[in-house]
Amino acid sequence: GIIAVTGDDRYRFVNGLCTSKVLDAKPGQAMASCFTTKTGRSVDLTTIAVLDDSILILCSAGRLQRLYQTLDALIFPKDNVAIQDLSLALARFQLVGPQAASVLSTTPCSASPAALPAPFQAAAWGNAGLVIHISGLASSGYTVLVPVSSAVAAWKHLALGVTELDSAAARLLGGRDWEVLRVLEGVPAPDKELTLDHNPLEAALYHTVSFDKGCYVGQETIARLHTYGGLKQQLWGVIFAKETGATAVSASALLEAKIFVAQTAGAFDREEAADGVSGGGRADGRITSVME
């Protein structure tokens, strides 16, 4: 989903709703940011790009409606703010890897991605596109926005650039590739690791939170957890030894399975008993995303 926020009060408005510091951002800057409930629970992990006349919020497709409704409900009569859903007008691609800039530079742009002065920046790409130096993953890369009418041509152009580069150092991500990298890199996703049961700090999203920006929705709870060390759970990655034969378990079967920490060796055991008790350990969590 893509939401555009316009109006003279757009900086103050967005800054008061997300965890990152938007108020002092300049056109061309971009950042990862979380939106939370009033009690600091995770709603979505987003990318915020500041343009000359608007602020773009790139959100998860499954969170678009909720986020749009939340923004709309918090616009007061005196606010000089307007929001617009651009999700059906723009297509979004991710290009990752240390040579991703080389692929993007093959298309004329007003500013070459390789020449951007700092990470997490935004610039025009072609006649009507936008390139943002943030991939949404831990991997270095870019997010490319183009009009839907140009989406097929843009995808083919980028794919050709990756092929001609003949290097694994640049990769154009489809849905499956994105999900694999997301799990490998520990990036939380809505309805999996980003739920009303978790806050951004528990979801390993410290880098999206500004602790000196002042008030925003959910700030009091998150600040208290940070100050007093109140985190009760954290996001971890677990690698299981590959099993074969009768003991083999599919990745889908692991979803929602509980994780037990052995009391002696500290090893991870997969739940095998129907009552949720395995190996004498205690349940320390559950599996929310898997890949094979």
Side-chain angles (χ1 to χ4, degrees):
I2 304 171
I3 298 173
V5 184
T6 57
D8 293 341
D9 295 330
R10 62 187 182 277
Y11 284 89
R12 176 190 56 78
F13 178 72
V14 176
N15 191 74
L17 297 176
C18 68
T19 58
S20 59
K21 194 172 185 178
V22 179
L23 202 58
D24 298 329
K26 306 298 182 185
Q29 288 185 298
M31 65 202 75
S33 187
C34 284
F35 284 80
T36 64
T37 66
K38 293 180 180 179
T39 56
R41 300 297 183 173
S42 302
V43 173
D44 198 13
L45 170 62
T46 69
T47 295
I48 293 179
V50 180
L51 308 182
D52 289 332
D53 56 357
S54 63
I55 295 175
L56 295 184
I57 302 172
L58 279 58
C59 62
S60 305
R63 288 290 187 266
L64 172 63
Q65 183 176 4
R66 174 172 181 168
L67 193 55
Y68 186 93
Q69 290 174 346
T70 298
L71 296 177
D72 188 52
L74 292 174
I75 298 177
F76 293 98
K78 291 186 178 181
D79 290 336
N80 188 350
V81 171
I83 60 174
Q84 183 180 5
D85 179 6
L86 299 180
S87 304
L88 298 180
L90 297 174
R92 176 168 56 173
F93 308 133
Q94 274 79 27
L95 187 68
V96 300
Q99 295 299 318
S102 298
V103 176
L104 287 170
S105 65
T106 61
T107 293
C109 6
S110 62
S112 170
L116 292 176
F120 306 162
Q121 301 292 302
W125 189 68
N127 295 326
L130 180 73
V131 59
I132 304 170
H133 193 175
I134 224 177
S135 68
L137 298 166
S139 296
S140 173
Y142 298 86
T143 297
V144 180
L145 303 179
V146 296
V148 169
S149 58
S150 305
V152 174
W155 176 271
K156 288 181 178 179
H157 177 88
L158 293 172
L160 179 61
V162 170
T163 302
E164 291 178 344
L165 189 62
D166 192 25
S167 170
R171 191 169 186 176
L172 185 60
L173 299 182
R176 171 60 181 168
D177 292 335
W178 166 271
E179 180 65 9
V180 168
L181 275 180
R182 182 192 72 78
V183 176
L184 285 175
E185 297 182 354
V187 178
D191 298 324
K192 295 181 178 181
E193 299 79 28
L194 293 178
T195 71
L196 297 182
D197 294 326
H198 311 104
N199 61 65
L201 304 186
E202 293 171 333
L205 296 175
Y206 266 88
H207 65 286
T208 70
V209 180
S210 171
F211 294 103
D212 61 2
K213 62 172 282 185
C215 295
Y216 60 90
V217 174
Q219 180 265 341
E220 184 177 353
T221 299
I222 293 175
R224 189 185 307 117
L225 289 171
H226 173 68
T227 301
Y228 299 107
L231 295 184
K232 297 181 180 179
Q233 53 190 338
Q234 289 180 296
L235 181 62
W236 292 88
V238 180
I239 299 177
F240 293 98
K242 185 175 180 60
E243 297 177 334
T244 58
T247 61
V249 177
S250 67
S252 59
L254 288 172
L255 272 176
E256 300 301 322
K258 293 179 182 178
I259 289 290
F260 293 83
V261 176
Q263 295 175 344
T264 53
F268 287 99
D269 293 324
R270 172 167 43 83
E271 177 188 13
E272 295 179 347
D275 60 0
V277 179
S278 173
R282 62 182 176 84
D284 269 13
R286 61 186 176 86
I287 297 175
T288 53
S289 294
V290 296
M291 63 157 288
E292 292 182 287

